[in-house]
Amino acid sequence: MAKTASDSVSLTRQAYALTDDLMTPNAAVYWVDLLLSAALMWGGFLLAATTSNLAVGLVAGLVSVLALFRALSFIHELTHIRDDEAPGFRVGWNVLVGVPLMTPSLMYEGVHNVHHVKDRFGTALDPEYMPLSRFTPLSLAGFLFVALLAPIGVLIRSAIIIPLSFLVPPLRRVLKQRLSALIINPDFVREDMAKMRPAWLVQDIACWLWSWGLIAATIAGALPIRFVLTGLAIFSLATFVNQARTLVAHHWDNDGGKMSLDEQFLDSVNVPPPNLASELWAPVGLRYHALHHLLPKLPYHNLGKAHARLAQALAPDSLYHRASQKGLFEALTALFRRVAQKPAAVSQGPRAAE
C-alpha cells in the first residue's frame, strides 16, 4: 500500500518525539572535533609535503585528505546552528578551514537552507538538486570527476574575480548571485546577496588577500612548489570524495516537480552501521542524510543515537527503514546501473529535464 502525506507527518512526529532530548548542540564536541580535524589536516599536509619516504608521504596525504574533508564538512553544520549554540565556532572554522581553503562559510549560509524548504526540494529552485538519474553514464562520470578542479575554481574566484568585482559593478553582481554558492544546480541564483553582510564581506576580502599571499610566496620562492602541488592534490582528492558522497546522498529521481514529504524522505539516503567506512567518506553526520532531512535541527553528534532509537522503535514496515543503503560502492553502482538502463530519450544529460 502506498504511503500518504499523513504517514510522513506521522513519521516526523514520531521522530521528534523519540529524539526531543537530542536537539541541543554540544559546543565542546564541535570545537574538539574541529580542532582535531584541522590539526590532522594541516599536520598530514606538512608531513606529506616534506618527507622523503614515499610510504609515509602517501599515508600522511591520505590522512590529510580525510581530515580536510571532515573539517570542511562543518560548513554544513554552520547553516543549522546559531552562533550562541557554539560561541565563536563560525569565526574559528573560517580562520582554520574556510579562508585557507578559500571556501568561506558565506558560500553555504543562506544556500543550503533553501534545500530544506519543502516546496523547493527537488525543484528547479533547489540549489542542491538536479535529476542526476536522468544523466547519461558519461555525463554522470563528468559530474563526478569535475570536482577535481574545485581548488582551481576557488583560487580563480579569490585571486581574480573578487578583487576585480570591486572595480566592475556588473561582475560584482555576478559574483554575488552566481559565484558565491556551493551548489549542484547551475541555474540557481542567490536571492539573499543584495546587501552583503559585513561578516561575508570580511570573508571574501580575507580569501582575496590569502590567495594573493600564496601566489606571491610561490613566485618569490618562499613557498616551495612541492607544497603547492601537494596541497592542490590533497584538496582535489577531498572534493572528489565529497562529490562521490554527494552522488549517494539522494536518488536524484525527481524531474523538477514538487515532492511530497514522503517522496523527499525516500529520495534521501542513510548509510548507517554496520557500515563503518561511511564515517570516513560521509563524515560529520553526512552518513545520516535521510535522517537529517527528517530532523534538520538535530546536531551531527546525535544523529547516530537518533538513528538507533528510530530503527529500534519504528515498525519494520515503517517508511524510515526504506531510506538506508549498504555502502558507497553499492549505492554508486546502483545509480550508474539505473542511469545505464534508462532509454536514450530519458537519459540525456544535465538538460534532460528542461
Side-chain angles (χ1 to χ4, degrees):
M1 179 180 295
K3 299 290 182 179
T4 66
S6 61
D7 292 314
S8 295
V9 173
S10 176
L11 175 60
T12 302
R13 289 175 177 170
Q14 287 178 297
Y16 272 107
L18 289 166
T19 62
D20 183 62
D21 61 317
L22 301 178
M23 291 294 173
T24 303
N26 186 325
V29 172
Y30 276 80
W31 273 109
V32 170
D33 198 338
L34 174 63
L35 292 174
L36 286 175
S37 297
L40 288 172
M41 175 182 78
W42 291 113
F45 158 69
L46 288 173
L47 183 55
T50 56
T51 183
S52 58
N53 187 304
L54 178 60
V56 171
L58 291 174
V59 171
L62 177 60
V63 169
S64 185
V65 166
L66 295 175
L68 185 155
F69 181 24
R70 185 174 187 87
L72 191 59
S73 295
F74 276 100
I75 196 173
H76 173 262
E77 289 298 304
L78 290 176
T79 68
H80 289 288
I81 61 172
R82 302 189 311 269
D83 286 338
D84 63 331
E85 292 177 319
F89 189 77
R90 194 176 311 274
V91 174
W93 181 87
N94 276 294
V95 170
L96 293 171
V97 182
V99 171
L101 296 180
M102 291 167 282
T103 311
S105 61
L106 74 89
M107 298 183 75
Y108 216 45
E109 295 172 309
V111 177
H112 175 66
N113 310 81
V114 177
H115 180 54
H116 284 278
V117 177
K118 64 180 182 179
D119 291 333
R120 289 198 177 193
F121 179 94
T123 71
L125 298 176
D126 186 341
E128 297 181 49
Y129 198 99
M130 288 186 73
L132 295 178
S133 69
R134 294 172 178 261
F135 279 30
T136 64
L138 183 60
S139 60
L140 196 61
F143 175 86
L144 176 61
F145 283 95
V146 74
L148 293 169
L149 300 177
I152 304 300
V154 297
L155 181 60
I156 291 173
R157 179 186 184 274
S158 297
I160 299 176
I161 298 177
I162 290 176
L164 279 180
S165 73
F166 289 110
L167 302 174
V168 184
L171 181 59
R172 186 72 184 159
R173 185 164 53 252
V174 172
L175 174 70
K176 289 181 177 181
Q177 296 180 344
R178 294 281 189 175
L179 303 176
S180 294
L182 298 175
I183 58 175
I184 294 173
N185 177 6
D187 296 326
F188 178 76
V189 177
R190 290 199 72 160
E191 302 170 349
D192 61 342
M193 297 285 279
K195 291 185 65 177
M196 178 75 87
R197 298 181 192 176
W200 290 357
L201 181 61
V202 170
Q203 291 172 26
D204 258 354
I205 293 175
C207 288
W208 162 22
L209 297 178
W210 172 261
S211 67
W212 277 21
L214 290 177
I215 293 170
T218 303
I219 293 174
L223 185 64
I225 293 296
R226 180 177 171 182
F227 274 60
V228 176
L229 296 178
T230 301
L232 286 174
I234 288 172
F235 195 180
S236 291
L237 289 173
T239 55
F240 177 80
V241 174
N242 180 58
Q243 197 80 327
R245 190 276 313 168
T246 297
L247 281 177
V248 302
H250 292 285
H251 292 294
W252 312 107
D253 287 331
N254 196 47
D255 60 2
K258 290 185 179 180
M259 305 172 70
S260 65
L261 291 175
D262 56 345
E263 288 172 334
Q264 294 179 28
F265 177 76
L266 289 177
D267 191 81
S268 308
V269 174
N270 289 328
V271 188
N275 188 308
L276 300 179
S278 60
E279 187 60 40
L280 298 177
W281 59 262
V284 192
L286 294 174
R287 65 194 300 197
Y288 297 105
H289 200 71
L291 175 55
H292 171 65
H293 273 275
L294 188 64
L295 304 172
K297 291 296 294 181
L298 191 65
Y300 84 98
H301 54 78
N302 283 338
L303 284 167
K305 295 179 184 177
H307 172 77
R309 290 184 187 180
L310 293 174
Q312 182 176 13
L314 298 178
D317 63 345
S318 169
L319 199 69
Y320 185 77
H321 295 290
R322 294 166 55 190
S324 292
Q325 292 278 350
K326 291 183 177 181
L328 174 64
F329 295 109
E330 291 87 347
L332 278 176
T333 299
L335 175 59
F336 275 90
R337 184 182 297 117
R338 283 189 290 122
V339 167
Q341 291 174 347
K342 288 183 181 294
V346 175
S347 184
Q348 295 179 349
R351 302 297 177 183
E354 293 185 358

